[in-house]
Amino acid sequence: QGRLAGAPRMVVLAVWSANELVGLVAGGVLLGTAAAATRVDAFVAGSQRRELGLCDVCGGVGKVRGKGGELERCPKCGARPGDAARQPPRRQ
């Protein structure tokens, strides 16, 4: 009926309006933001803990210092300096 035998069918693609494209972009940005929110939160929390002198692992207030004034461990969780890089922060 107007088609040659064995000829491939034409695929008709839908034309997207500007509103639909903006909606797809906005949805992608929201999805990316939701996926990255935990990493951003962990980064901000870690920097606040370091600035306030809190334990990087549990957020404990006190730190036990050694003879030379260097940090030895946290009295609350027993974490030593650098332990936060080796384990994820605990939920309270």
Side-chain angles (χ1 to χ4, degrees):
Q1 300 180 0
R3 228 177 56 144
L4 296 174
R9 291 181 174 220
M10 274 185 66
V11 176
V12 178
L13 297 176
V15 178
W16 295 63
S17 69
N19 288 341
E20 292 170 330
L21 291 175
V22 169
L24 285 172
V25 170
V29 168
L30 287 173
L31 186 63
T33 302
T38 56
R39 288 185 178 175
V40 171
D41 182 53
F43 174 77
V44 170
S47 65
Q48 288 176 339
R49 285 179 179 166
R50 282 188 296 278
E51 185 176 332
L52 295 172
L54 303 176
C55 175
D56 291 335
V57 176
C58 71
V61 177
K63 288 186 175 180
V64 177
R65 297 193 176 268
K67 293 178 183 177
E70 69 279 354
L71 298 175
E72 276 190 5
R73 63 180 177 82
C74 173
K76 185 175 179 182
C77 70
R80 300 195 182 285
D83 281 352
R86 292 189 285 271
Q87 62 185 355
R90 297 177 187 170
R91 297 259 180 206
Q92 294 182 2

